[in-house]
C-alpha cells in the first residue's frame, strides 16, 4: 500500500492541484476503490455480521453513475496474487487485520475505533459482478495491478485513481488522483472536484532528481523493503511534522544532496542507494535493488496456470486464489469477524477447499494461513484429487428452484449437514433466516419486507446478541464463497448466483430472531410461499430423515409440511396408548430418525402427577429404542377448570426440566399459547386454525433441527 504517511505529507505541503474531472478516461485501481467505497460509506456498511452486499452494490452503482454523468470512462484493474517476495508483508498485514476483526467482534455496533476495518468476504466477488452487469471494462491481473495500471494510464494519457501512495512514486504522465480527495458525491455541472498529484511538482519542491524516487520509496519503506535508520534521517530534518513525516523529509533532503553529475538514471539510483545505506551504517543487499526495480521496470506477472485459466482469471470468471495455489502452493484465507472463542469459520468449508486444491495441484501439499485462536498460523494440507465434485446435492432435487438459487441452496445444504455435530437451536434459526432471505429478496433489498413495522430498527439492531448465530453465518459465508470459486473452476455446472442479493448481514441476523422470523413468514403469499415450502422440502429430502409425530386429536389439524414425516393421532390417547402404538410399529421393524410425542391433558384428568411421571419415562425409553432422537411436544394451557390448569401447569413445568436433563427435546406449547389469545377453541381443548399453524411451524423447526 505504498509509503506510510507520504500522502499526509503531500496534503500538508499542498502539492496537489485542484481540478474538475470531466470528459476523460480514468484508470482505476479496483481494489483501492472497493475498499474505499465499503469503508467510507455513509451510513456505514456492516462489518460485524458478514457484510451488507445490497447496500454495497447501491454505493458502487452510484459511483459509476456519477462517472457516467460526467462523461468519465473508467478502466478497472484488479490485483491478482502477490509474489513470494511479498509474503512477509502479507503475513504481517493478516495479523493486523486479525486484531481489527477481534476488536470489531467485541465492540458494540459502530463503536470500533476509527480506522479499525475488516472487509467482509464477498465484497470483491460482488464488485466484479457489478462490473459485468454494468459492462464496465476491467481486467483482473495475474499479479499486482500496479504495473498494468501505470502502463495503461500512460498509453491512454489519463490519470490514475487509487488510494495507494505507490502511484506517487511511479512516472504517471497525467498524474495521480487520490480517492480521499475524489469528491464524486459533490459533482456539479457534470464535473467532479478532485486533487491531482504530479511527480514532477513533488520533485521540484524537494529539488530531487525524479530518477531517485524509486530509491526514496525503497528506503522509506514499502511492501518490499525498509531501511532501519534508528532515527538518523528524522533527526536531520527541519520539518515540524510528526516523527514519520520528519523521517520522510530527512530522506528526501539527503537524496537531493547526492552528487549525480555525469551519471545515467541507473547509475544515479545505484549511487544514491549506496550513500544512503552507508550514511546509516548499513551494507548493501539485494532486497533494496529488487524493490527499486519494481518502480523502474514494472513487469506483468507470469504464471504457471494454463492459458485458458489465465484468460478466465483476467476476465473475472475465475478467482485469483488459483494463482497462489498453483504458483506458490499457498492460500492466505482472508480474516473474518467471527466468534473468536470457537474454531475458525473456514473449517466448515475445508472439504470444499480440498477439492479446489486437488483440481489445481493434484495430490501436492498446500499451505494455508488461517486463524488458530487469536493467531495466524500456517497449516499444510494434502489435497484431494477429484474428477467430479458435488455439494452432496443431486441436480434433480433442484428442479423447482430458480437458477439463481441452485448454488446457494446446495451450499446451504452442505453447510447445515456439516453442522450436525454442533447444531443448536440458534443454528436452526440461521437456516430458516437464510431460506426466508432467499425468498424475500427476489424483488430487491427491502421491498418484500415492507410489512415489518420498523425496517430501520431491524437493520441497526444489536445483531450480535448470540455469538453462535454470528459464527454460523460466518461459516455459511465461507462455504458460499469457496463453493462459488469451485463452481467457477468447474466451468459453472450450476448457474452463478447474484451474490449482492444473497446476503445482508444485519437483516439475516435479525431474521434469526424467532419473533421477527414468525412475523415475516406470515406475510408470504403465492409464489414466495410456494418457493419457501419447496426449499424446506428439499432440505428434508436431502437429509433423508424419517420422522414420526404421535399424540392425541389435538394434532388433527396440524401439518408440519416436512417430507418423510408421518403424523398419527388418536382421540383421548394417553402416554400408555402412545407406547402401545409404538410397540405395534416396532413389531413391523419401523425405525425413525426422530420421534416427537405430543402429550395432552388426558393423563392429568385421570391421574396425579406422580403417577404420570413413570408413564412418560416409560414411553420415552421405548421411543429411544426406535429412534436416535426423541422429543416431547408439551400440553396446551386448557382452561376447563382451575384444578386442571394447576395440574397441567405443574406437569408442563416438570416436563420442561426433565426433558433436557435426559437428553430429550422439548417444545414448550404452554409458553407459546399462554401469551396470545385466540389460539385455543372455545371448548378449551383443540387449537384454532391459527393455533394449529403455530404448532405446525414449531414442529417443522424441531424436526429440521
Amino acid at each position: 500500500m505504498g509509503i506510510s504517511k507520504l500522502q499526509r505529507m503531500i496534503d500538508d505541503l499542498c502539492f496537489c492541484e485542484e481540478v474538475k474531472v470531466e470528459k476523460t478516461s480514468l484508470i482505476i485501481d479496483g481494489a483501492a476503490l472497493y475498499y474505499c467505497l465499503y469503508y467510507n460509506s455513509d451510513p456505514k456498511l456492516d462489518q460485524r455480521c458478514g457484510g451488507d452486499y445490497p447496500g454495497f452494490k447501491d454505493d458502487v452503482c452510484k459511483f459509476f453513475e456519477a462517472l457516467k454523468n460526467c462523461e468519465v470512462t473508467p478502466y478497472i484493474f484488479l490485483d491478482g496474487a502477490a509474489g513470494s517476495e511479498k509474503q512477509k508483508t502479507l503475513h504481517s498485514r493478516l495479523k493486523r487485520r486479525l486484531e481489527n476483526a477481534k476488536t470489531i467482534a467485541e465492540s458494540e455496533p459502530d463503536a470500533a475505533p476509527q480506522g479499525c476495518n475488516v472487509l467482509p468476504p464477498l465484497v470483491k466477488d460482488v464488485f466484479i459482478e457489478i462490473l459485468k452487469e454494468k459492462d464496465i471494462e476491467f481486467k483482473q491481473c495475474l499479479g499486482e495491478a500496479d504495473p498494468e495500471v501505470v502502463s495503461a494510464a500512460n498509453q491512454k494519457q489519463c490519470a490514475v485513481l487509487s488510494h495507494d501512495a505507490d502511484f506517487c512514486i511511479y512516472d504517471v504522465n497525467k498524474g495521480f488522483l487520490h480517492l480521499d480527495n475524489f469528491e464524486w458525491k459533490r459533482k456539479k455541472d457534470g464535473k467532479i472536484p478532485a486533487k491531482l498529484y504530479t511527480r514532477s511538482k513533488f520533485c521540484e519542491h524537494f529539488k530531487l532528481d525524479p530518477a531517485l524516487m524509486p530509491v526514496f520509496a525503497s528506503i522509506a519503506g514499502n511492501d518490499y523493503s525498509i531501511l532501519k535508520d534508528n532515527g538518523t534521517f528524522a533527526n536531520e530534518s527541519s520539518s515540524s511534522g510528526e516523527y514519520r513525516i520528519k523521517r520522510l523529509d530527512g530522506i528526501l533532503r539527503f537524496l537531493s544532496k547526492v552528487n549525480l553529475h555525469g551519471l545515467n538514471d541507473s547509475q544515479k539510483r545505484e549511487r544514491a542507494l549506496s550513500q544512503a545505506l552507508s550514511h546509516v551504517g548499513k551494507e548493501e543487499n539485494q532486497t533494496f535493488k529488487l524493490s527499486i526495480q519494481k518502480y523502474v521496470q514494472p513487469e506483468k506477472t507470469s504464471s504457471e496456470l494454463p492459458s485458458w485459466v489465465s484468460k478466465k482469471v483476467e476476465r473475472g470468471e475465475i478467482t485469483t486464489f488459483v494463482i497462489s495455489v498453483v504458483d506458490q502452493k499457498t492460500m492466505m484465507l482472508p480474516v473474518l469477524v467471527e466468534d473468536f472463542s470457537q474454531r475458525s469459520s473456514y473449517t466448515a468449508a475445508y472439504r470444499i477447499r480440498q477439492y479446489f486444491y486437488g483440481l489445481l495441484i493434484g495430490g501436492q501439499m498446500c499451505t494455508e494461513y488461517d486463524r488458530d485462536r487469536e493467531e495466524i498460523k500456517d497449516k499444510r494440507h494434502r489435497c484431494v484429487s477429484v474428477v467430479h465434485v458435488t455439494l452432496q446435492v443431486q441436480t434433480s432435487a433442484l428442479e423447482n428452484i430458480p437458477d439463481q438459487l441452485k448454488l446457494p441452496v446446495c451450499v446451504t445444504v452442505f453447510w447445515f449437514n456439516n453442522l450436525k455435530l454442533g447444531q443448536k437451536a440458534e443454528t436452526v434459526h440461521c437456516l430458516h433466516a437464510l431460506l426466508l432471505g432467499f425468498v424475500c429478496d427476489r424483488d430487491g433489498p427491502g421491498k418484500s419486507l415492507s410489512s415489518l413495522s420498523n425496517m430501520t430498527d431491524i437493520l441497526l439492531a444489536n445483531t450480535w446478541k448470540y455469538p453462535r448465530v454470528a459464527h454460523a453465518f460466518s461459516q455459511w459465508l465461507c462455504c458460499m464463497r469457496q463453493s462459488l470459486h469451485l463452481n467457477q473452476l468447474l466451468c459453472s455446472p450450476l448457474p452463478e448466483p447474484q451474490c449482492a442479493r444473497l446476503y445482508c448481514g444485519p437483516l439475516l441476523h435479525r431474521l434469526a430472531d424467532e419473533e421477527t422470523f414468525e412475523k415475516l413468514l406470515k406475510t408470504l403469499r403465492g409464489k414466495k410461499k410456494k418457493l419457501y415450502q419447496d426449499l424446506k422440502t428439499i432440505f428434508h429430502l436431502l437429509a433423508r430423515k424419517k420422522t414420526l409425530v404421535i399424540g392425541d386429536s389435538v394434532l388433527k389439524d396440524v401439518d408440519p409440511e416436512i417430507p418423510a414425516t408421518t403424523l398419527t393421532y388418536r382421540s383421548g390417547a394417553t402416554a400408555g396408548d402412545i407406547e402401545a402404538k409404538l410397540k405395534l410399529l416396532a413389531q413391523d421393524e419401523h425405525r425413525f430418525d426422530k420421534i416427537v410425542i405430543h402429550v395432552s391433558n388426558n393423563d392429568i384428568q385421570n391421574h396425579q402427577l406422580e403417577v404420570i411421571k413413570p408413564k412418560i419415562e416409560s414411553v420415552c425409553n421405548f421411543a429411544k429404542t426406535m429412534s436416535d432422537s426423541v422429543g416431547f411436544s408439551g400440553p396446551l394451557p386448557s382452561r376447563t377448570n382451575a384444578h386442571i390448569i394447576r395440574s397441567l401447569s405443574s406437569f408442563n413445568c416438570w416436563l420442561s426440566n426433565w426433558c433436557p436433563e435426559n437428553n430429550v427435546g422439548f417444545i414448550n406449547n404452554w409458553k407459546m399459547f399462554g401469551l396470545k389469545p385466540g389460539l385455543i377453541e372455545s371448548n378449551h381443548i383443540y387449537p384454532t386454525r391459527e393455533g394449529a399453524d403455530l404448532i405446525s411451524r414449531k414442529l417443522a423447526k424441531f424436526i429440521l433441527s
Side-chain angles (χ1 to χ4, degrees):
M1 290 298 294
I3 303 165
S4 176
K5 297 298 179 181
L6 177 58
Q7 188 61 43
R8 172 74 179 276
M9 171 190 259
I10 290 168
D11 290 340
D12 289 348
L13 295 173
C14 302
F15 286 141
C16 296
E17 173 191 357
E18 292 191 358
V19 295
K20 305 289 185 185
V21 180
E22 61 167 335
K23 299 176 182 177
T24 183
S25 296
L26 189 61
I27 305 299
I28 301 178
D29 175 355
L33 178 60
Y34 62 69
Y35 271 95
C36 183
L37 289 177
Y38 203 95
Y39 290 165
N40 298 332
S41 59
D42 185 20
K44 191 173 176 65
L45 291 172
D46 165 71
Q47 295 181 31
R48 302 176 82 237
C49 303
D52 177 358
Y53 303 105
F56 174 61
K57 180 174 183 176
D58 190 45
D59 280 358
V60 174
C61 290
K62 285 177 182 175
F63 174 83
F64 285 118
E65 191 62 29
L67 296 190
K68 184 179 179 181
N69 292 341
C70 298
E71 298 182 56
V72 175
T73 304
Y75 298 91
I76 315 295
F77 287 83
L78 293 155
D79 285 321
S84 56
E85 70 279 4
K86 199 174 174 179
Q87 291 301 303
K88 188 176 179 181
T89 299
L90 292 177
H91 193 266
S92 174
R93 197 173 290 165
L94 209 58
K95 283 184 176 179
R96 288 198 301 274
R97 287 175 180 167
L98 185 66
E99 292 168 5
N100 287 352
K102 190 169 187 294
T103 300
I104 293 169
E106 294 174 352
S107 301
E108 291 296 314
D110 300 326
Q114 189 174 4
C116 181
N117 292 303
V118 172
L119 197 72
L122 287 175
V123 167
K124 183 179 180 181
D125 301 277
V126 170
F127 185 71
I128 291 173
E129 177 180 283
I130 297 166
L131 296 180
K132 292 176 182 177
E133 282 180 17
K134 294 282 184 183
D135 202 24
I136 293 167
E137 191 170 327
F138 78 96
K139 180 180 180 181
Q140 192 166 232
C141 304
L142 299 181
E144 285 199 83
D146 292 11
E148 298 194 51
V149 165
V150 173
S151 175
N154 289 338
Q155 185 179 351
K156 292 183 180 292
Q157 286 298 292
C158 61
V160 169
L161 178 65
S162 180
H163 203 280
D164 190 344
D166 269 341
F167 293 108
C168 298
I169 307 300
Y170 286 111
D171 184 14
V172 182
N173 298 342
K174 294 296 181 179
F176 164 53
L177 298 165
H178 198 284
L179 273 161
D180 285 353
N181 302 318
F182 190 76
E183 300 183 78
W184 60 276
K185 291 181 181 178
R186 291 183 56 235
K187 67 179 176 62
K188 187 177 179 182
D189 300 327
K191 300 174 183 178
I192 298 173
K195 292 182 179 180
L196 181 69
Y197 162 92
T198 55
R199 193 173 79 159
S200 57
K201 189 171 182 179
F202 182 88
C203 291
E204 184 181 328
H205 175 85
F206 286 102
K207 299 180 174 58
L208 182 71
D209 190 312
L212 299 190
M213 284 295 280
V215 180
F216 163 62
S218 71
I219 61 179
N222 56 19
D223 287 345
Y224 302 96
S225 63
I226 184 170
L227 178 59
K228 295 180 181 178
D229 59 279
N230 298 320
T232 300
F233 290 119
N235 293 335
E236 294 172 356
S237 169
S238 59
S239 169
S240 59
E242 62 173 274
Y243 172 79
R244 282 182 287 184
I245 289 179
K246 287 171 71 73
R247 179 174 177 272
L248 295 181
D249 180 77
I251 293 170
L252 289 162
R253 303 291 178 189
F254 175 85
L255 292 176
S256 68
K257 295 173 184 175
V258 176
N259 182 4
L260 306 174
H261 183 69
L263 303 178
N264 62 31
D265 285 351
S266 178
Q267 291 168 333
K268 289 175 183 178
R269 286 188 285 270
E270 195 170 328
R271 176 174 290 182
L273 175 63
S274 178
Q275 290 192 14
L277 292 171
S278 177
H279 183 65
V280 297
K282 302 287 183 181
E283 295 182 2
E284 292 190 36
N285 67 59
Q286 201 66 17
T287 304
F288 293 103
K289 292 181 179 179
L290 290 172
S291 176
I292 289 168
Q293 285 302 110
K294 294 284 182 184
Y295 300 101
V296 177
Q297 293 178 322
E299 297 178 355
K300 286 177 60 176
T301 304
S302 59
S303 172
E304 296 177 20
L305 290 172
S307 61
W308 70 270
V309 177
S310 297
K311 287 174 183 175
K312 276 182 169 284
V313 169
E314 291 175 346
R315 293 196 299 265
E317 295 169 6
I318 291 182
T319 174
T320 54
F321 283 131
V322 300
I323 305 167
S324 55
V325 172
V326 170
D327 292 348
Q328 300 165 30
K329 310 298 182 289
T330 63
M331 170 76 97
M332 285 201 172
L333 298 170
V335 164
L336 302 166
V337 178
E338 56 184 338
D339 182 358
F340 277 68
S341 69
Q342 299 189 53
R343 295 173 67 193
S344 165
S345 296
Y346 283 109
T347 56
Y350 173 60
R351 283 179 54 202
I352 301 171
R353 291 197 306 280
Q354 271 194 310
Y355 295 144
F356 182 78
Y357 302 150
L359 286 167
L360 291 167
I361 57 175
Q364 298 180 63
M365 299 294 285
C366 184
T367 302
E368 285 186 344
Y369 292 86
D370 187 19
R371 175 179 72 83
D372 185 352
R373 298 180 185 272
E374 297 176 19
E375 297 179 8
I376 296 293
K377 291 189 177 179
D378 59 300
K379 300 172 185 176
R380 301 190 74 199
H381 300 290
R382 186 167 296 282
C383 309
V384 177
S385 183
V386 295
V387 178
H388 178 66
V389 179
T390 68
L391 287 168
Q392 303 171 326
V393 181
Q394 298 299 318
T395 53
S396 59
L398 303 173
E399 288 176 357
N400 296 326
I401 302 301
D403 283 352
Q404 281 292 313
L405 288 178
K406 283 183 166 62
L407 181 60
V409 165
C410 292
V411 170
T412 309
V413 170
F414 175 88
W415 161 78
F416 194 71
N417 284 344
N418 281 278
L419 286 177
K420 279 181 177 173
L421 293 177
Q423 285 173 2
K424 306 287 183 183
E426 295 97 323
T427 53
V428 177
H429 294 163
C430 292
L431 169 64
H432 294 150
L434 284 164
L435 297 186
L436 197 54
F438 293 161
V439 171
C440 291
D441 201 33
R442 299 306 94 209
D443 296 330
K447 288 187 180 177
S448 55
L449 302 166
S450 57
S451 61
L452 293 172
S453 58
N454 194 330
M455 193 63 190
T456 303
D457 287 347
I458 286 170
L459 292 175
L460 298 180
N462 183 350
T463 49
W464 252 60
K465 185 177 179 182
Y466 302 109
R468 249 198 218 112
V469 168
H471 205 71
F473 279 131
S474 181
Q475 290 174 315
W476 183 87
L477 281 165
C478 289
C479 293
M480 184 66 237
R481 190 183 194 202
Q482 290 169 349
S483 297
L484 181 71
H485 295 166
L486 178 60
N487 192 55
Q488 291 171 346
L489 191 59
L490 292 167
C491 299
S492 300
L494 290 172
E496 195 157 312
Q498 290 179 300
C499 294
R501 299 177 67 181
L502 280 180
Y503 189 94
C504 175
L507 179 58
L508 283 172
H509 276 243
R510 192 69 181 88
L511 286 178
D513 171 72
E514 199 165 359
E515 184 180 340
T516 306
F517 173 84
E518 297 287 356
K519 191 172 184 179
L520 183 56
L521 187 62
K522 290 177 183 178
T523 69
L524 295 185
R525 299 288 185 275
K527 291 181 179 178
K528 290 184 186 295
K529 187 172 183 179
K530 183 179 183 304
L531 176 57
Y532 182 73
Q533 293 300 337
D534 287 344
L535 290 171
K536 281 207 315 182
T537 298
I538 280 176
F539 270 85
H540 204 68
L541 281 174
L542 293 169
R544 296 179 180 87
K545 296 276 188 183
K546 284 176 62 182
T547 300
L548 173 67
V549 179
I550 187 169
D552 77 342
S553 51
V554 164
L555 300 175
K556 65 186 177 68
D557 293 321
V558 169
D559 182 3
E561 297 180 329
I562 300 292
T565 297
T566 301
L567 190 147
T568 182
Y569 62 88
R570 199 193 87 179
S571 179
T574 63
D577 296 328
I578 292 171
E579 184 173 348
K581 177 65 175 177
L582 291 176
K583 287 178 178 177
L584 284 174
L585 292 170
Q587 287 176 8
D588 294 330
E589 298 184 352
H590 283 284
R591 181 163 182 81
F592 300 90
D593 294 285
K594 185 169 287 188
I595 294 177
V596 183
I597 301 167
H598 178 77
V599 290
S600 235
N601 61 2
N602 300 311
D603 289 282
I604 284 292
Q605 288 179 340
N606 301 318
H607 302 287
Q608 294 297 316
L609 180 58
E610 293 306 315
V611 177
I612 300 169
K613 288 179 182 179
K615 295 179 180 294
I616 294 295
E617 292 176 4
S618 176
V619 69
C620 180
N621 289 334
F622 190 81
K624 284 182 176 180
T625 66
M626 300 173 62
S627 174
D628 296 326
S629 176
V630 175
F632 280 95
S633 171
L636 307 186
S638 171
R639 292 176 173 81
T640 51
N641 62 62
H643 171 70
I644 289 181
I645 290 173
R646 285 194 298 272
S647 298
L648 278 173
S649 177
S650 298
F651 175 47
N652 186 76
C653 183
W654 171 78
L655 193 60
S656 66
N657 291 317
W658 181 85
C659 284
E661 288 172 2
N662 290 275
N663 198 26
V664 174
F666 181 65
I667 301 173
N668 197 337
N669 294 314
W670 190 277
K671 182 178 179 181
M672 293 186 299
F673 277 72
L675 294 175
K676 186 177 178 183
L679 297 178
I680 299 180
E681 290 182 355
S682 57
N683 62 17
H684 305 297
I685 297 174
Y686 297 112
T688 60
R689 167 53 62 189
E690 187 179 358
D693 287 345
L694 179 58
I695 295 175
S696 299
R697 290 198 298 274
K698 295 299 177 183
L699 280 171
K701 185 173 289 188
F702 186 79
I703 291 166
L704 286 172
S705 68

